[in-house]
Amino acid sequence: MMILPIYIYGHPVLRKVAQDIDPSNYPGLNELIDNMFETMRNAEGVGLAGPQVGLEERVFVMDLSPLATEEYPEFKDFTKVFINARITERKGELEAMEEGCLSVPGIHEKVSREGEIRISYLDENLIPRDEVYTGYMARVIQHEYDHLDGILFIDKISPLRKRMVRSKLANMEKGKVACDYKIRTAR
Ligand code: NI
C-alpha cells in the first residue's frame, strides 16, 4: 500500500466535478481503494474522496471506527467504499455541526446539513447498494459526496465565519500550510 499526497485547498482538482468510473474497465481499482484507506488513516481522517488525492473519479472511502464509543457502537464496523455514488434523497431538519477536512487543514467550522439521506452506489465488490443513513454517518457521506461535485465545507459556512478564515485559506492557496501528512498544494 502507498500513502498518496492529499491535495490542499487552492488546487484546481478539488473544484472539478468527478466522473463515474467504468468498474469493469478500471484496472487497479482495488489498489486505489487500499491506498485511499491507507492515506486517510495515516492522516487520521474518517473520510477521503477521489479529488483529494488528485483524481477526477467518483469514489470515496469512509472509516468511522476511530469514533466508536459505547454510545455509538455502530461506528465500529463502519468501513465503506462508495463508487459512482448518487444521493437520491435528502430530508430531515438541517443540523449544524463542526466539520473539518484533510484538504483544508487547521479549519473547523459549523456546517448545516440534512439529517437523513438516501444514496445508491457500488460497494468495493461492485455490488449495487441503495441505503438510507442518518445522523453523523449522513453528515460525513454528504461531506465526501460534496467533494465529488467540487464543493468544500467552507463553501457552506456563514459569511462572517468565512471572513474569519480568509487569510488561512489565502495562505493555503499560496502553499503556506503545515501538515503532518503528505500534501500537494497549488503552488
Ligand atoms: Ni473533506
Side-chain angles (χ1 to χ4, degrees), residues 121-184:
Y121 64 99
L122 303 174
D123 70 12
E124 65 276 26
N125 300 310
L126 307 179
I127 296 174
R129 306 272 180 190
D130 185 9
E131 294 165 341
V132 171
Y133 289 100
T134 58
Y136 190 70
M137 292 173 183
R139 172 171 299 275
V140 180
I141 289 171
Q142 289 177 85
H143 176 117
E144 299 312 323
Y145 187 87
D146 276 350
H147 276 297
L148 305 179
D149 290 331
I151 298 166
L152 300 171
F153 81 100
I154 37 147
D155 302 339
K156 301 191 161 183
I157 67 179
S158 72
L160 172 67
R161 294 306 308 169
K162 188 123 201 210
R163 270 202 299 283
M164 306 288 285
V165 298
R166 192 160 53 192
S167 67
K168 273 190 185 174
L169 292 173
N171 281 337
M172 280 182 219
E173 286 181 301
K174 290 179 205 144
K176 282 192 242 165
V177 53
C179 253
D180 53 10
Y181 45 89
K182 195 158 78 168
I183 59 171
R184 186 156 296 164

